[in-house]
Amino acid sequence: VLNHWTLYNSINLIYFDGKILYVPEFHKNSISFFKRNGKFLKRLDEINSPHSITVNNKSIFVGSYRLGKVYKIDKKNYKVDHNWELKVKEKLGITSIDTINNSLFIADYKNGNIISVNIKDGKIIKTKNIPDSKLHNLLIHNERIFVLDRHGKQIFVFSEDLNLLEIITLKIPEIDLDPLSITIYNEYFLVTNYKDSKIYSFNKKGQKVSAEFLKNKKSYFNSFPTNIFIHHNLIFICEQSSDMIKSIEIKKNQNRSK
């Protein structure tokens, strides 16, 4: 383990841009900012129930689960843009967000919707409903939107205009799977399982495979990991039971799965 941050709080999703680690602190209603070496930089308070976060060149976007809104924060001065808001009619249960080009994508856990939003004015571009779903995590990779359905144990893959491209069912019948989050590394899915406090890897077909870089690291994943974030050769793990974020360096010769 290279670094760890003990926060005494519930951490769901984080973001790291290579220099700064952005940490939503759900029960403290705040966002904390850290340097790569773990040094505390700043805390931004009065951000209600932050469950998700993403960052682009100019702004920090934070999804509030209880309020069903997204905060837009200036990346330079950390001030909330109170003139920007989502133009939605129903209350959302925002669990995950990500951006690409001029669009913000939202996973709406409460209503089973994927929503694309114009970053400039907050207006809805398109909404896609997935019946009987619990959409807990969303990420953008290679211009595709990957959405994790916690209830159906599936990954829905969409184009940027929210056309459905593929449905990947996670196949692991011997395990009671409760998938909280996904990330993609070397074209493999890493999935946190809330049931047994483990991280599993799957190939593009949804079949469980062995990830070399996860071997001999079992002791790092023992406090119910809720989220994984990978930046180049660094893997960040949020742990619920320990209220901790750990960072681990992935060695080049461990970057293969089989």
Side-chain angles (χ1 to χ4, degrees):
V1 178
L2 296 179
N3 283 301
H4 70 273
W5 297 261
T6 303
L7 297 161
Y8 307 106
N9 199 8
S10 177
I11 307 299
N12 295 288
L13 300 178
I14 61 171
Y15 192 93
F16 180 66
D17 62 6
K19 295 181 179 180
I20 297 175
L21 181 67
Y22 303 80
V23 182
E25 299 185 76
F26 186 81
H27 294 299
K28 288 185 179 179
N29 297 314
S30 64
I31 307 293
S32 289
F33 306 87
F34 298 87
K35 285 187 176 180
R36 170 64 189 88
N37 61 8
K39 182 180 179 181
F40 175 78
L41 288 175
K42 184 181 179 63
R43 176 173 287 113
L44 185 62
D45 295 315
E46 299 182 3
I47 305 295
N48 192 294
S49 60
H51 193 280
S52 53
I53 189 166
T54 192
V55 180
N56 65 12
N57 292 333
K58 296 182 179 180
S59 304
I60 304 163
F61 297 90
V62 182
S64 167
Y65 184 77
R66 292 185 184 135
L67 295 185
K69 65 179 287 184
V70 174
Y71 295 89
K72 184 182 180 184
I73 303 165
D74 189 283
K75 194 176 179 181
K76 291 183 178 180
N77 59 27
Y78 299 106
K79 291 185 178 180
V80 177
D81 183 353
H82 294 289
N83 295 318
W84 189 93
E85 63 178 1
L86 290 179
K87 309 299 192 298
V88 295
K89 296 180 180 180
E90 60 182 349
K91 185 174 181 179
L92 309 180
I94 300 173
T95 47
S96 189
I97 57 177
D98 205 351
T99 61
I100 182 173
N101 299 324
N102 296 314
S103 298
L104 172 72
F105 289 84
I106 298 171
D108 177 10
Y109 190 82
K110 180 180 178 181
N111 304 297
N113 290 328
I114 306 299
I115 304 168
S116 59
V117 177
N118 188 312
I119 286 178
K120 184 177 180 179
D121 56 18
K123 292 182 179 180
I124 302 298
I125 300 172
K126 190 174 182 179
T127 298
K128 188 79 172 183
N129 180 258
I130 303 177
D132 302 317
S133 65
K134 295 293 183 183
L135 307 177
H136 200 264
N137 196 206
L138 176 152
L139 65 88
I140 297 173
H141 180 75
N142 290 340
E143 298 185 348
R144 293 187 175 188
I145 295 88
F146 295 81
V147 185
L148 177 66
D149 175 15
R150 185 176 180 180
H151 175 71
K153 301 175 178 58
Q154 294 178 315
I155 299 170
F156 290 83
V157 186
F158 294 92
S159 62
E160 191 176 341
D161 55 2
L162 289 185
N163 288 325
L164 182 61
L165 303 175
E166 187 179 6
I167 301 175
I168 302 167
T169 300
L170 300 175
K171 304 175 183 69
I172 185 168
E174 71 277 15
I175 299 296
D176 187 8
L177 185 65
D178 182 11
L180 283 186
S181 71
I182 57 170
T183 193
I184 298 174
Y185 187 73
N186 282 356
E187 303 304 319
Y188 285 81
F189 299 106
L190 300 183
V191 179
T192 56
N193 183 18
Y194 193 65
K195 287 287 187 179
D196 63 6
S197 186
K198 292 182 180 179
I199 298 171
Y200 292 95
S201 53
F202 298 84
N203 61 21
K204 293 181 179 179
K205 296 181 180 180
Q207 299 166 328
K208 180 178 174 294
V209 294
S210 174
E212 292 294 325
F213 66 91
L214 291 180
K215 289 184 176 180
N216 302 319
K217 294 182 174 62
K218 185 177 180 181
S219 61
Y220 300 160
F221 314 136
N222 56 6
S223 298
F224 289 97
T226 56
N227 179 251
I228 312 169
F229 188 92
I230 291 181
H231 181 83
H232 298 313
N233 67 328
L234 291 175
I235 177 171
F236 294 86
I237 304 105
C238 301
E239 294 187 342
Q240 177 175 296
S241 296
S242 64
D243 292 329
M244 184 180 293
I245 299 171
K246 297 177 181 178
S247 69
I248 300 167
E249 184 175 7
I250 305 169
K251 296 180 181 180
K252 290 184 177 180
N253 60 2
Q254 293 179 320
N255 289 353
R256 294 179 299 172
S257 298
K258 61 182 180 180

